[in-house]
Amino acid sequence: MENADIARVLTELADLLEIQGANPFRIRAYRNAIHTVSEQTVPFRRMVAEGQDLTALPGIGKEMASHIRELVESGDLALLGQLAEEIPRTLVTLKRLPGVGPKKAKKLWVELGVETVDGLEAAAQEGEVAKLAGFGAKSQEKILTAIADYREHSQRIRIDQADEAVRPLLEMLRALPEVTRLEVAGSYRRRKETVGDIDLLAVATEPEPVMTAFTSYPAVERVEMSGPTRGSVMLRSGLEVDLRIVTPENYGAALVYFTGSKEHNVKLRIRAVEQGLKVSEYGVYRVTPEERDADDIAAGQRIAGESEEEVYAALGLTWVPPVLREDRGEIEAAEITAEADGTLPHLVEAGDLRGDLHMHSTWSDGRNSIEEMVEACASRGYSYLAITDHSKALAMTHGLDATRLRQQWEEIAEVQARHPEIRILRGQEIDILQDGSLDQEEEILEGLDIVLISVHSHFELPPAEQTRRILRAVAHPQVNLLCHPTGRLINRRKPMQFDLDEVLHACAEHGVAVEVNSHPQRLDLKDTHLIRARELAIPIAINTDAHITTGLDLRRYGIDQAQRAWLGREQVLNCRELDGFLAWLHG
Ligand code: DGT
Ligand code: CA
Ligand code: CA
Ligand code: ZN
């Protein structure tokens, strides 16, 4: 434990004590000690190892010295664990929101049962907070603003980083003999581009050893909570993971509930009420109005709960793929009627892809040769691909001018001769220059099989100018595909400011396709934008922008976002067979 970690734990402890209502002098003592700890330049682990007297430091009394020693030696604090049994540790986050503070956090918990930021938000949105003595409408409004702020500034984790952290954890848990079922629920299962935390759901013949294995997993930095069937840990990567163990009879209902989204769940509940049913994380129950309002979770006659299919069926719905559970019309579309089993789309899958239209080779900033990229595409079952190295404006990537591009065509022809099994398209990812012109000669544009355009510079132009710039490029008659249209990098660079809708209309008008760039840092266009593109009947290409052969496998992230946008293979340009695709290119 480093000094900063010690300060963090002591701060949490002080916050919890304060919420609990501890003596203000004791809190003050904690704050003084925390100040000393954070200012201290010598590591406490060294001072403890050398047996130095910590109470010689300003503000460090006997109690604090013993906390520090315990933290250094065991990495944990027993007192914190004891306290967490009395009050939820999550209240600390509430307490830190502007406009809340320790007293109000406690009141929200005691009176409304609110433990988390999400819970507080829901209560405030329903007007419950304003009704509490000492709060009022103004304070409720302030809390909602504070929550929005908090969300924006507490970073969410990219889906690929979550994948990396979750995979070995799942493997460890699945190997336990007690675990009979295990799935990740929450936003991870819905394949959102980022996740706030990970929600694991398990069925076990015996919960205890599973919980123990979970909390003692090596990548765990600290255990936030550990009960018989519920645990929560913070991984060293900064990812929080919750584990809930449920009974096999409840598994389906719990999986629906914890997969969310919250908005989807709310719609399901409303639908249940209309049908005289009650749906919860425990199952679906036929209830009288009195039973529905009862506190007893199992009031009424149970009609479903073991599987998700059963839960949806009990509500007259077909099973809804998790990627669609965002309250974007999926419940209406899942309704089973006399005519049809709902109208949910048949979603595009990775296996539907027939080619990849965006990748780089060693000719620009890629790591593999053209032939290696071609072989990698062939081994993934594609019938076509486009080699699309950068244009000369991107000097740092060794972008290709007309002369070098012509040389590249010779190599493409040679590789094509050796690989008749797959069609290699001559392409280029051409920079959109600041004025909207293209970074390539007209004659070359005509000689290319496919022309991709991208913005790689001047992301900060005023919105009207940015829009004009991209519109001009899209209107160029040789252009086929607009790549990573917003230029955002998740958690790193905001999307460019421009009128995307106008650009999409222009794409529709000029027969230009748009890309889902599958790189998990880009995912550009994103799901909601793709919905708009689909409405405008714009062909959408799911590309990887691979700079190395293994980069081709990132397509699954593009597929996830395409599915979240309700896309079927019909809307995806590179799901067309070679003939159909070439017909589109020439048409
Ligand atoms: P995240 O973690 O922010 O990326 O998003 P989720 O969707 O994973 O949300 P999380 O982890 O807070 O909760 C997991 C699921 O549990 C959520 O999707 C729906 C369900 N859930 C949690 N809290 C509530 C609630 O207050 N009301 C309802 N209806 N469902 C909830
Ligand atoms: Ca979650
Ligand atoms: Ca969660
Ligand atoms: Zn690229």
Side-chain angles (χ1 to χ4, degrees):
M1 273 230 160
E2 298 306 318
N3 292 3
D5 302 315
I6 296 171
R8 189 170 40 74
V9 176
L10 291 178
T11 305
E12 190 184 354
L13 185 58
D15 283 347
L16 280 174
L17 286 169
E18 208 179 350
I19 295 166
Q20 200 190 33
N23 182 326
F25 292 105
R26 189 167 173 213
I27 306 295
R28 176 113 35 94
Y30 266 88
R31 303 283 178 215
N32 288 339
I34 291 161
H35 182 73
T36 300
V37 170
S38 9
E39 300 284 297
Q40 181 66 15
T41 49
V42 182
F44 277 104
R45 51 182 164 70
R46 192 182 316 148
M47 296 179 72
V48 169
E50 290 170 358
Q52 292 190 33
D53 180 14
L54 302 181
T55 59
L57 294 166
I60 307 285
K62 261 202 181 141
E63 189 190 2
M64 227 55 73
S66 116
H67 286 343
I68 295 171
R69 260 196 306 277
E70 188 184 343
L71 280 169
V72 166
E73 281 160 5
S74 76
D76 215 328
L77 207 52
L79 180 58
L80 194 56
Q82 286 163 22
L83 216 53
E85 302 209 326
E86 292 165 28
I87 38 177
R89 285 171 79 159
T90 47
L91 288 186
V92 168
T93 318
L94 292 197
K95 183 232 152 201
R96 291 175 190 167
L97 288 174
V100 180
K103 291 213 178 67
K104 285 187 171 175
K106 185 174 186 183
K107 189 154 192 165
L108 288 163
W109 172 52
V110 172
E111 309 237 18
L112 297 179
V114 164
E115 296 184 9
T116 62
V117 173
D118 285 356
L120 178 57
E121 183 177 46
Q125 278 165 349
E126 284 159 24
E128 296 296 322
V129 175
K131 289 185 206 153
L132 286 183
F135 280 80
K138 238 190 182 154
S139 140
Q140 178 169 279
E141 206 49 47
K142 195 168 167 205
I143 286 174
L144 281 171
T145 313
I147 291 174
D149 254 39
Y150 164 83
R151 289 258 165 73
E152 199 176 329
H153 297 294
S154 65
Q155 221 173 45
R156 298 169 57 84
I157 303 220
R158 258 166 38 197
I159 185 75
D160 59 313
Q161 295 169 328
D163 270 334
E164 219 166 277
V166 164
R167 213 174 294 124
L169 174 59
L170 286 185
E171 206 169 294
M172 180 281 284
L173 289 171
R174 288 211 168 105
L176 298 173
E178 296 85 5
V179 171
T180 53
R181 309 194 71 165
L182 179 69
E183 205 138 355
V184 191
S187 52
Y188 180 90
R189 185 167 182 237
R190 304 197 311 279
R191 304 310 287 164
K192 275 190 75 164
E193 60 188 36
T194 60
V195 302
D197 71 355
I198 298 292
D199 307 277
L200 299 178
L201 196 66
V203 174
T205 51
E206 235 188 302
E208 204 186 307
V210 178
M211 205 47 86
T212 305
F214 174 63
T215 52
S216 53
Y217 179 61
V220 167
E221 185 188 72
R222 64 194 144 94
V223 177
E224 306 270 10
M225 198 206 83
S226 170
T229 58
R230 225 190 120 177
S232 180
V233 300
M234 178 62 83
L235 301 184
R236 273 197 298 274
S237 58
L239 187 60
E240 188 177 313
V241 185
D242 295 341
L243 170 64
R244 293 177 183 84
I245 302 177
V246 299
T247 61
E249 308 82 65
N250 295 343
Y251 186 70
L255 192 53
V256 169
Y257 181 85
F258 290 112
T259 297
S261 66
K262 227 163 279 168
E263 294 74 18
H264 178 86
N265 289 353
V266 167
K267 272 279 168 70
L268 283 182
R269 257 176 287 159
I270 292 171
R271 187 179 168 86
V273 169
E274 287 165 359
Q275 303 180 349
L277 302 171
K278 178 175 175 175
V279 55
S280 72
E281 60 193 278
Y282 302 101
V284 183
Y285 300 84
R286 185 161 295 290
V287 287
T288 62
E290 300 76 54
E291 284 169 333
R292 189 177 64 228
D293 299 329
D295 280 338
D296 179 8
I297 50 164
Q301 183 204 347
R302 185 187 159 87
I303 58 172
E306 203 171 335
S307 72
E308 283 201 331
E309 286 79 2
E310 204 182 273
V311 169
Y312 283 104
L315 298 168
L317 302 171
T318 58
W319 179 80
V320 178
V323 283
L324 299 185
R325 299 182 194 174
E326 300 289 349
D327 188 24
R328 294 175 178 162
E330 72 279 6
I331 291 178
E332 293 79 355
E335 193 164 281
I336 299 170
T337 62
E339 291 84 49
D341 279 355
T343 55
L344 285 172
H346 191 83
L347 298 174
V348 61
E349 290 167 25
D352 295 330
L353 292 176
R354 292 289 170 266
D356 194 325
L357 303 174
H358 185 171
M359 70 191 71
H360 300 261
S361 74
T362 43
W363 281 80
S364 66
D365 58 348
R367 299 262 289 280
N368 288 100
S369 67
I370 291 177
E371 185 148 25
E372 285 163 345
M373 294 307 285
V374 166
E375 284 170 353
C377 285
S379 78
R380 283 162 180 77
Y382 292 158
S383 36
Y384 53 92
L385 73 132
I387 295 291
T388 57
D389 281 303
H390 289 288
S391 62
K392 67 177 187 309
L394 276 191
M396 64 197 176
T397 68
H398 305 107
L400 280 61
D401 60 10
T403 312
R404 283 187 67 224
L405 201 63
R406 282 207 183 84
Q407 291 164 2
Q408 187 189 49
W409 292 352
E410 286 168 28
E411 183 172 324
I412 289 177
E414 287 163 26
V415 175
Q416 181 68 85
R418 286 195 290 274
H419 294 278
E421 73 277 16
I422 186 164
R423 173 68 191 273
I424 312 169
L425 299 168
R426 302 197 301 210
Q428 189 169 32
E429 180 181 15
I430 298 167
D431 261 53
I432 301 175
L433 301 175
Q434 184 173 359
D435 63 356
S437 61
L438 302 185
D439 183 29
Q440 192 49 275
E441 293 171 17
E442 288 296 322
E443 198 188 327
I444 292 286
L445 293 177
E446 276 160 37
L448 287 166
D449 294 321
I450 182 167
V451 174
L452 278 55
I453 54 169
S454 305
V455 170
H456 287 117
S457 61
H458 306 288
F459 298 103
E460 307 277 348
L461 296 182
E465 196 179 332
Q466 195 69 277
T467 307
R468 256 195 322 274
R469 171 195 191 189
I470 303 173
L471 285 175
R472 179 172 171 206
V474 164
H476 191 291
Q478 299 298 337
V479 168
N480 303 115
L481 177 61
L482 175 61
C483 296
H484 46 74
T486 77
R488 67 139 176 202
L489 297 176
I490 295 173
N491 287 344
R492 273 187 51 200
R493 185 170 69 212
K494 289 213 149 33
M496 291 185 288
Q497 297 293 302
F498 68 105
D499 190 335
L500 177 66
D501 212 55
E502 211 180 326
V503 168
L504 289 178
H505 273 100
C507 288
E509 183 191 338
H510 296 286
V512 172
V514 293
E515 175 179 79
V516 188
N517 190 296
S518 302
H519 196 289
Q521 193 175 340
R522 289 193 180 271
L523 300 178
D524 187 7
L525 291 176
K526 63 186 265 173
D527 54 1
T528 47
H529 295 155
L530 291 170
I531 291 175
R532 187 70 188 127
R534 173 173 53 93
E535 285 166 0
L536 295 172
I538 301 169
I540 292 160
I542 302 176
N543 294 328
T544 60
D545 199 356
H547 285 69
I548 185 168
T549 52
T550 49
L552 294 165
D553 295 324
L554 295 178
R555 67 181 186 183
R556 66 174 185 278
Y557 293 104
I559 292 281
D560 288 340
Q561 298 311 308
Q563 290 190 342
R564 287 174 55 78
W566 294 54
L567 299 188
R569 50 176 300 177
E570 318 77 51
Q571 285 99 21
V572 178
L573 182 58
N574 48 329
C575 285
R576 300 186 192 199
E577 301 296 341
L578 178 61
D579 288 347
F581 172 67
L582 292 178
W584 176 83
L585 262 187
H586 301 136

